[in-house]
Amino acid sequence: MHKIDMDLIEMTMDVMKYTIDRISSTQHKIGKPKKAEELKGLVGDTITPKGVGGEYAFKMWKKHLAKANVPIDHPRHLAFVPASPTRAAIMFDLITSASSIHGAYWMEGAGGIFCENEAMEWIVSLTGLPKGAFGVFTSGGTAANLSAIVTAREYWRSLNEQNKVEKGLVITSVGAHSSIKAMAKVADVDILLVDTEDVMYGTALQETINNLTAHQRRRLFAIVATGGTTNAGIIDDLEGIARVCEAENLWFHVDAAYGGGALVADSVRPLFKGIERADSITIDPHKWMFSPYDCGAVIYKEPELAKRAHSQEGSYLDIFKDEGAHGFNPTDYQIQLTRRVRGLPLWFSLATHGTDRYKEAVERGLELAQIAGDIIEKMPHVELVRAPSLSCVLYRRIGWKPEDYTHWTYENHKKGFALVTPTKWKTGDTFETVSRFCFINPDTTEGDIKAILNSMK
Ligand SMILES: Cc1ncc(COP(=O)(O)O)c(C=O)c1O
C-alpha cells in the first residue's frame, strides 16, 4: 500500500486531472441526495478483503457518488451559510493533505503553524482586540464556541472554591446559533435565553441579569453575543453587552462564526463596535473568508487563560515542552490534540491575493443582499420580512403556506437549478415560515437572484 508502482502513478494522474477540472470549472452541477440503499445499489460493496481497486472505486465516485453532493460553492446555493473557497485556497488544501503535517506542536509543524499564525494575525487585527490577543484555527464554529466556553468556565472555576462545585450558567439570546446551546450541553453548563431573535441589547441583558435568583447570579459566568446571526445576519449590541459584562464581571464571548468575515468590510465594520472588548471571539474562515472546509477560529483576549484550560499533559507529550521544541503549540488553545494545519489554505490564498481582494469579495456579498432586497421590493408576489442584514435576506412569498416553501425548495433542487431553503422568523409568540438568502459567493449574479424569485411565481 505504501509502495510506488505503475497503478499508483496512473491513479495520481487521474486524481490530478479530476482536481484540475474541478478547480477550473465554472459550472458545477447541483447534485441530488439519494437514499443510502439506492447508492449501495449503484456502487455495490466497495470495502472487501481484496479491495475493488482504485480505478473502479474512483469510477464509482465520479459516476454516482460525487453526483449525490451539492457543491457548497454553487452560485445559486444560497441556503444555510454557504461557502466559496478561492481556487488558491483549494489548491493549497491539496498541499496541506499531501504534506502530512501534525499541526498540534511547533516541534513538528513549525513551517505550517508559522503560516497559520501569519493569517491569524490578520484576523486578530480585524477584531481590534488589544495587543497580546491571539487565536488558533479549529474544525469549525462549533469547536471554537466549545473551546471558548470551556476556557471561560475554567477561568470562573479558578476564581474561588464555591465555583468549583457549582454548575455554570451562560446567557445568550434566542437568535444565537444552535451550537451555543449544544456546546453548553457538552460543557455541562445551563443556558438562559434572552427572548429575542432580533438584536440582543445591553439593556435587555441587564434586565435578565437583574431578574436572576441569587443562586443563578452566582452561577452566571459568561455572556454569548452574536456577531451576525445565522438566520438573519443580525449583530447584537456588542458595545452595550460589553459594558454589562465589564460591570458584572462576566466573560464576554462573541460568536461571529458567520459574520466575522464582514469585519474586513468598511461599509459594515462600525456595526461590530464593541467586539474589541470581547474575551473571546469565534470566526469561521470556512464561511466568509473563502477557505475550504473545515476551518474555524477561536481568538482570545488573554490566550494564557485558554492554555490553562486546554493544554494536555502526558509523559509522551513532555518533549514538546522541552527547550529545543519551543514555539507556539496550537493544541494548547482549543479542544483538539492532533490537528491538520487547516489555516494553511487561508494563508496561501491571503498571500496570493492580498487582503484588499478579500475586502472586495465580502463587500460584494453585502451588495448582493441589498440588490436582492431592491428586487424583492419591486416584485408583486414577494415581500421583505425585514431589511437585509449583512448578507442575509428574509422574504415571504405572498399567500404561501409552509408546505409551499418546502415543495418549491425540493422542485428547484430536483431540477438542479438552485438550493434555497425555508426558515422561520419569530415575531412575538408566532413563528412564520419564510424564505431566506445568504450570500457568500461573489460569483452569484443579479440574474441568479431574479431567476430564483421568478421561480416562485
Ligand atoms: C453564528 C454561527 N455560529 C456557529 C456556527 C457553527 O459553525 P460550524 O458549522 O462551523 O461548526 C454557525 C454555522 O452556521 C454559525 O452561523
Side-chain angles (χ1 to χ4, degrees):
M1 289 200 295
H2 295 81
K3 297 227 164 56
I4 299 171
D5 57 18
M6 233 14 238
D7 282 353
L8 179 96
I9 291 168
E10 273 175 23
M11 184 52 60
T12 309
M13 307 282 232
D14 286 351
V15 167
M16 285 304 153
K17 184 179 173 311
Y18 177 89
T19 312
I20 292 165
D21 284 351
R22 178 62 177 75
I23 293 177
S24 56
S25 101
T26 50
Q27 303 248 304
H28 310 309
K29 290 220 161 64
I30 291 189
K32 268 177 280 178
K34 286 190 161 68
K35 290 201 171 13
E37 308 86 76
E38 266 181 88
L39 291 174
K40 186 77 179 177
L42 289 168
V43 306
D45 286 336
T46 49
I47 305 302
T48 64
K50 299 290 174 211
V52 294
E55 202 184 322
Y56 180 77
F58 195 29
K59 192 169 141 196
M60 290 300 104
W61 170 258
K62 287 186 282 192
K63 198 166 170 203
H64 301 299
L65 301 170
K67 292 175 184 163
N69 302 309
V70 182
I72 195 85
D73 50 1
H74 191 287
R76 286 190 300 277
H77 184 321
L78 305 176
F80 319 116
V81 179
S84 181
T86 66
R87 290 176 166 84
I90 293 170
M91 280 189 279
F92 228 71
D93 209 31
L94 292 176
I95 306 260
T96 307
S97 287
S99 305
S100 300
I101 303 166
H102 192 283
Y105 292 102
W106 189 263
M107 182 183 173
E108 290 186 289
I113 297 167
F114 172 84
C115 297
E116 284 195 317
N117 289 354
E118 293 283 293
M120 183 55 72
E121 256 179 51
W122 173 67
I123 298 176
V124 174
S125 76
L126 299 176
T127 66
L129 283 170
K131 201 167 175 303
F134 208 61
V136 285
F137 295 100
T138 63
S139 63
T142 303
N145 284 332
L146 177 60
S147 299
I149 288 174
V150 169
T151 300
R153 190 203 54 201
E154 290 306 289
Y155 170 66
W156 168 72
R157 281 191 173 155
S158 73
L159 295 178
N160 62 54
E161 287 308 303
Q162 182 61 27
N163 292 354
K164 289 191 174 66
V165 293
E166 292 284 12
K167 188 174 185 190
L169 175 68
V170 170
I171 296 182
T172 188
S173 80
V174 168
H177 187 257
S178 52
S179 64
I180 300 296
K181 298 144 207 172
M183 290 309 101
K185 248 189 256 169
V186 175
D188 193 28
V189 300
D190 286 329
I191 280 270
L192 205 139
L193 300 179
V194 173
D195 188 20
T196 178
E197 208 192 325
D198 220 305
V199 178
M200 173 166 72
Y201 286 100
T203 43
L205 172 65
Q206 187 65 66
E207 206 179 300
T208 307
I209 296 174
N210 294 347
N211 286 333
L212 296 177
T213 64
H215 186 218
Q216 280 176 319
R217 179 61 192 90
R218 265 206 315 276
R219 294 166 50 218
L220 178 66
F221 68 94
I223 306 299
V224 178
T226 310
T229 61
T230 318
N231 209 22
I234 293 163
I235 302 168
D236 284 336
D237 166 26
L238 302 180
E239 203 169 33
I241 295 169
R243 214 173 297 124
V244 173
C245 289
E246 284 157 10
E248 298 274 348
N249 253 326
L250 295 166
W251 186 279
F252 176 30
H253 177 67
V254 180
D255 178 6
Y258 151 60
L263 288 167
V264 74
D266 298 334
S267 64
V268 293
R269 180 60 182 85
L271 302 175
F272 290 88
K273 197 162 185 315
I275 198 168
E276 69 286 352
R277 288 155 74 175
D279 292 291
S280 53
I281 303 172
T282 290
I283 297 178
D284 274 0
H286 70 200
K287 293 189 168 68
W288 218 350
M289 287 184 176
F290 314 112
S291 280
Y293 293 137
D294 43 22
C295 186
V298 59
I299 301 162
Y300 303 96
K301 184 167 78 185
E302 289 183 57
E304 194 52 36
L305 299 179
K307 197 170 179 179
R308 269 188 237 157
H310 293 292
S311 184
Q312 297 191 22
E313 301 287 334
S315 49
Y316 35 84
L317 299 177
D318 286 347
I319 184 75
F320 294 119
K321 288 160 190 149
D322 194 65
E323 209 34 50
H326 267 184
F328 183 82
N329 298 326
T331 188
D332 286 343
Y333 305 90
Q334 40 82 50
I335 56 170
Q336 205 172 353
L337 181 69
T338 299
R339 64 182 285 283
R340 177 183 179 78
V341 271
R342 51 171 51 87
L344 206 45
L346 173 66
W347 166 79
F348 186 68
S349 183
L350 280 167
T352 301
H353 298 298
T355 56
D356 285 353
R357 297 287 293 280
Y358 273 69
K359 191 183 286 235
E360 284 163 26
V362 172
E363 288 285 9
R364 180 62 184 159
L366 294 162
E367 191 181 27
L368 283 167
Q370 295 303 323
I371 290 171
D374 291 345
I375 296 172
I376 289 165
E377 287 200 308
K378 287 190 191 117
M379 288 186 161
H381 65 294
V382 283
E383 65 186 7
L384 286 173
V385 172
R386 62 191 310 283
S389 195
L390 289 181
S391 66
C392 287
V393 184
L394 295 184
Y395 63 98
R396 65 175 64 84
R397 163 64 167 87
I398 296 164
W400 271 13
K401 297 194 185 63
E403 55 273 25
D404 297 321
Y405 289 96
T406 312
H407 178 70
W408 171 75
T409 294
Y410 281 127
E411 276 301 300
N412 280 341
H413 192 182
K414 240 191 293 174
K415 283 188 235 156
F417 165 61
L419 188 66
V420 180
T421 49
T423 186
K424 289 195 174 70
W425 177 248
K426 184 170 186 271
T427 324
D429 286 337
T430 50
F431 285 91
E432 180 189 355
T433 298
V434 298
S435 191
R436 169 182 172 278
F437 291 147
C438 181
F439 296 100
I440 296 285
N441 190 338
D443 288 341
T444 302
T445 64
E446 208 171 311
D448 289 326
I449 298 169
K450 282 186 181 149
I452 293 169
L453 292 168
N454 280 331
S455 73
M456 288 181 130
K457 276 187 178 159

PDB file of all heavy atoms in Angstrom, residues 81 140-142 145 177 179 226 228 230 255 257-258 284 286-287, ligand 1:
ATOM      1  N   VAL A  81     -25.438  28.644   5.646  1.00  0.00           N
ATOM      2  CA  VAL A  81     -24.371  29.599   5.334  1.00  0.00           C
ATOM      3  C   VAL A  81     -23.511  28.898   4.284  1.00  0.00           C
ATOM      4  O   VAL A  81     -22.783  27.959   4.613  1.00  0.00           O
ATOM      5  CB  VAL A  81     -23.523  29.961   6.565  1.00  0.00           C
ATOM      6  CG1 VAL A  81     -22.424  30.947   6.163  1.00  0.00           C
ATOM      7  CG2 VAL A  81     -24.390  30.567   7.671  1.00  0.00           C
ATOM      8  N   GLY A 140     -14.165  24.221  13.177  1.00  0.00           N
ATOM      9  CA  GLY A 140     -15.352  24.987  12.793  1.00  0.00           C
ATOM     10  C   GLY A 140     -15.823  25.852  13.945  1.00  0.00           C
ATOM     11  O   GLY A 140     -15.168  25.917  15.004  1.00  0.00           O
ATOM     12  N   GLY A 141     -16.970  26.487  13.738  1.00  0.00           N
ATOM     13  CA  GLY A 141     -17.521  27.381  14.755  1.00  0.00           C
ATOM     14  C   GLY A 141     -17.952  26.637  16.005  1.00  0.00           C
ATOM     15  O   GLY A 141     -17.832  27.155  17.121  1.00  0.00           O
ATOM     16  N   THR A 142     -18.459  25.434  15.826  1.00  0.00           N
ATOM     17  CA  THR A 142     -18.918  24.661  16.984  1.00  0.00           C
ATOM     18  C   THR A 142     -17.746  24.378  17.927  1.00  0.00           C
ATOM     19  O   THR A 142     -17.845  24.606  19.137  1.00  0.00           O
ATOM     20  CB  THR A 142     -19.558  23.333  16.498  1.00  0.00           C
ATOM     21  OG1 THR A 142     -20.614  23.653  15.589  1.00  0.00           O
ATOM     22  CG2 THR A 142     -20.095  22.518  17.642  1.00  0.00           C
ATOM     23  N   ASN A 145     -16.627  27.623  19.559  1.00  0.00           N
ATOM     24  CA  ASN A 145     -17.520  28.037  20.651  1.00  0.00           C
ATOM     25  C   ASN A 145     -17.305  27.166  21.889  1.00  0.00           C
ATOM     26  O   ASN A 145     -17.278  27.672  23.015  1.00  0.00           O
ATOM     27  CB  ASN A 145     -18.988  27.965  20.194  1.00  0.00           C
ATOM     28  CG  ASN A 145     -19.358  29.125  19.269  1.00  0.00           C
ATOM     29  OD1 ASN A 145     -18.768  30.210  19.350  1.00  0.00           O
ATOM     30  ND2 ASN A 145     -20.313  28.907  18.392  1.00  0.00           N
ATOM     31  N   HIS A 177     -26.707  30.831  17.625  1.00  0.00           N
ATOM     32  CA  HIS A 177     -26.649  29.606  16.822  1.00  0.00           C
ATOM     33  C   HIS A 177     -26.858  28.363  17.693  1.00  0.00           C
ATOM     34  O   HIS A 177     -26.499  28.355  18.876  1.00  0.00           O
ATOM     35  CB  HIS A 177     -25.281  29.519  16.128  1.00  0.00           C
ATOM     36  CG  HIS A 177     -25.184  28.388  15.161  1.00  0.00           C
ATOM     37  ND1 HIS A 177     -24.509  27.225  15.441  1.00  0.00           N
ATOM     38  CD2 HIS A 177     -25.705  28.235  13.913  1.00  0.00           C
ATOM     39  CE1 HIS A 177     -24.604  26.411  14.399  1.00  0.00           C
ATOM     40  NE2 HIS A 177     -25.315  26.997  13.460  1.00  0.00           N
ATOM     41  N   SER A 179     -25.272  25.799  17.924  1.00  0.00           N
ATOM     42  CA  SER A 179     -24.054  25.216  18.509  1.00  0.00           C
ATOM     43  C   SER A 179     -23.783  25.765  19.913  1.00  0.00           C
ATOM     44  O   SER A 179     -23.141  25.096  20.718  1.00  0.00           O
ATOM     45  CB  SER A 179     -22.841  25.461  17.605  1.00  0.00           C
ATOM     46  OG  SER A 179     -22.570  26.832  17.505  1.00  0.00           O
ATOM     47  N   THR A 226     -23.959  37.502  19.537  1.00  0.00           N
ATOM     48  CA  THR A 226     -23.756  37.016  18.166  1.00  0.00           C
ATOM     49  C   THR A 226     -23.386  38.176  17.251  1.00  0.00           C
ATOM     50  O   THR A 226     -24.053  39.209  17.247  1.00  0.00           O
ATOM     51  CB  THR A 226     -25.035  36.309  17.653  1.00  0.00           C
ATOM     52  OG1 THR A 226     -25.454  35.360  18.626  1.00  0.00           O
ATOM     53  CG2 THR A 226     -24.761  35.587  16.346  1.00  0.00           C
ATOM     54  N   GLY A 228     -23.626  38.546  13.903  1.00  0.00           N
ATOM     55  CA  GLY A 228     -24.193  38.059  12.643  1.00  0.00           C
ATOM     56  C   GLY A 228     -24.926  36.752  12.868  1.00  0.00           C
ATOM     57  O   GLY A 228     -24.327  35.678  12.784  1.00  0.00           O
ATOM     58  N   THR A 230     -27.157  33.500  12.291  1.00  0.00           N
ATOM     59  CA  THR A 230     -27.208  32.605  11.132  1.00  0.00           C
ATOM     60  C   THR A 230     -28.500  32.822  10.354  1.00  0.00           C
ATOM     61  O   THR A 230     -28.507  32.832   9.134  1.00  0.00           O
ATOM     62  CB  THR A 230     -27.160  31.147  11.633  1.00  0.00           C
ATOM     63  OG1 THR A 230     -26.193  31.093  12.677  1.00  0.00           O
ATOM     64  CG2 THR A 230     -26.799  30.195  10.530  1.00  0.00           C
ATOM     65  N   ASP A 255     -19.903  35.237  19.192  1.00  0.00           N
ATOM     66  CA  ASP A 255     -19.928  34.223  18.136  1.00  0.00           C
ATOM     67  C   ASP A 255     -20.132  34.950  16.799  1.00  0.00           C
ATOM     68  O   ASP A 255     -21.249  35.318  16.437  1.00  0.00           O
ATOM     69  CB  ASP A 255     -21.064  33.223  18.389  1.00  0.00           C
ATOM     70  CG  ASP A 255     -21.137  32.179  17.285  1.00  0.00           C
ATOM     71  OD1 ASP A 255     -20.242  32.166  16.406  1.00  0.00           O
ATOM     72  OD2 ASP A 255     -22.095  31.374  17.289  1.00  0.00           O
ATOM     73  N   ALA A 257     -19.052  33.531  13.951  1.00  0.00           N
ATOM     74  CA  ALA A 257     -18.651  32.452  13.036  1.00  0.00           C
ATOM     75  C   ALA A 257     -19.004  32.818  11.603  1.00  0.00           C
ATOM     76  O   ALA A 257     -18.172  32.729  10.702  1.00  0.00           O
ATOM     77  CB  ALA A 257     -19.327  31.147  13.434  1.00  0.00           C
ATOM     78  N   TYR A 258     -20.232  33.274  11.408  1.00  0.00           N
ATOM     79  CA  TYR A 258     -20.643  33.689  10.066  1.00  0.00           C
ATOM     80  C   TYR A 258     -20.251  35.150   9.795  1.00  0.00           C
ATOM     81  O   TYR A 258     -19.584  35.467   8.807  1.00  0.00           O
ATOM     82  CB  TYR A 258     -22.160  33.456   9.897  1.00  0.00           C
ATOM     83  CG  TYR A 258     -22.842  34.404   8.941  1.00  0.00           C
ATOM     84  CD1 TYR A 258     -22.455  34.478   7.602  1.00  0.00           C
ATOM     85  CD2 TYR A 258     -23.882  35.245   9.370  1.00  0.00           C
ATOM     86  CE1 TYR A 258     -23.078  35.370   6.724  1.00  0.00           C
ATOM     87  CE2 TYR A 258     -24.501  36.122   8.507  1.00  0.00           C
ATOM     88  CZ  TYR A 258     -24.091  36.192   7.184  1.00  0.00           C
ATOM     89  OH  TYR A 258     -24.699  37.080   6.339  1.00  0.00           O
ATOM     90  N   ASP A 284     -15.351  31.989  11.531  1.00  0.00           N
ATOM     91  CA  ASP A 284     -15.099  30.826  10.668  1.00  0.00           C
ATOM     92  C   ASP A 284     -14.556  31.237   9.304  1.00  0.00           C
ATOM     93  O   ASP A 284     -15.321  31.686   8.444  1.00  0.00           O
ATOM     94  CB  ASP A 284     -16.418  30.062  10.422  1.00  0.00           C
ATOM     95  CG  ASP A 284     -16.715  29.063  11.512  1.00  0.00           C
ATOM     96  OD1 ASP A 284     -15.921  28.952  12.461  1.00  0.00           O
ATOM     97  OD2 ASP A 284     -17.755  28.389  11.403  1.00  0.00           O
ATOM     98  N   HIS A 286     -14.038  29.244   7.035  1.00  0.00           N
ATOM     99  CA  HIS A 286     -14.721  28.447   6.012  1.00  0.00           C
ATOM    100  C   HIS A 286     -16.108  28.990   5.679  1.00  0.00           C
ATOM    101  O   HIS A 286     -16.813  28.413   4.859  1.00  0.00           O
ATOM    102  CB  HIS A 286     -14.718  26.946   6.340  1.00  0.00           C
ATOM    103  CG  HIS A 286     -15.579  26.494   7.492  1.00  0.00           C
ATOM    104  ND1 HIS A 286     -15.367  25.300   8.134  1.00  0.00           N
ATOM    105  CD2 HIS A 286     -16.649  27.041   8.118  1.00  0.00           C
ATOM    106  CE1 HIS A 286     -16.266  25.134   9.089  1.00  0.00           C
ATOM    107  NE2 HIS A 286     -17.048  26.179   9.103  1.00  0.00           N
ATOM    108  N   LYS A 287     -16.496  30.070   6.314  1.00  0.00           N
ATOM    109  CA  LYS A 287     -17.742  30.718   5.912  1.00  0.00           C
ATOM    110  C   LYS A 287     -17.414  31.905   5.014  1.00  0.00           C
ATOM    111  O   LYS A 287     -17.435  31.799   3.805  1.00  0.00           O
ATOM    112  CB  LYS A 287     -18.557  31.128   7.138  1.00  0.00           C
ATOM    113  CG  LYS A 287     -19.077  29.924   7.914  1.00  0.00           C
ATOM    114  CD  LYS A 287     -20.060  30.294   8.984  1.00  0.00           C
ATOM    115  CE  LYS A 287     -20.785  29.087   9.541  1.00  0.00           C
ATOM    116  NZ  LYS A 287     -19.920  28.169  10.312  1.00  0.00           N
TER     117      LYS A 287
HETATM  118  C1  LIG B   1     -23.251  32.066  14.122  1.00  0.00           C
HETATM  119  C2  LIG B   1     -22.770  30.645  13.975  1.00  0.00           C
HETATM  120  N1  LIG B   1     -22.118  30.061  14.979  1.00  0.00           N
HETATM  121  C3  LIG B   1     -21.658  28.789  14.905  1.00  0.00           C
HETATM  122  C4  LIG B   1     -21.858  28.046  13.768  1.00  0.00           C
HETATM  123  C5  LIG B   1     -21.359  26.626  13.724  1.00  0.00           C
HETATM  124  O1  LIG B   1     -20.251  26.566  12.901  1.00  0.00           O
HETATM  125  P1  LIG B   1     -19.720  25.181  12.294  1.00  0.00           P
HETATM  126  O2  LIG B   1     -20.832  24.663  11.447  1.00  0.00           O
HETATM  127  O3  LIG B   1     -18.513  25.590  11.525  1.00  0.00           O
HETATM  128  O4  LIG B   1     -19.399  24.277  13.418  1.00  0.00           O
HETATM  129  C6  LIG B   1     -22.560  28.606  12.690  1.00  0.00           C
HETATM  130  C7  LIG B   1     -22.820  27.812  11.478  1.00  0.00           C
HETATM  131  O5  LIG B   1     -23.537  28.210  10.588  1.00  0.00           O
HETATM  132  C8  LIG B   1     -22.994  29.946  12.779  1.00  0.00           C
HETATM  133  O6  LIG B   1     -23.648  30.539  11.772  1.00  0.00           O
END
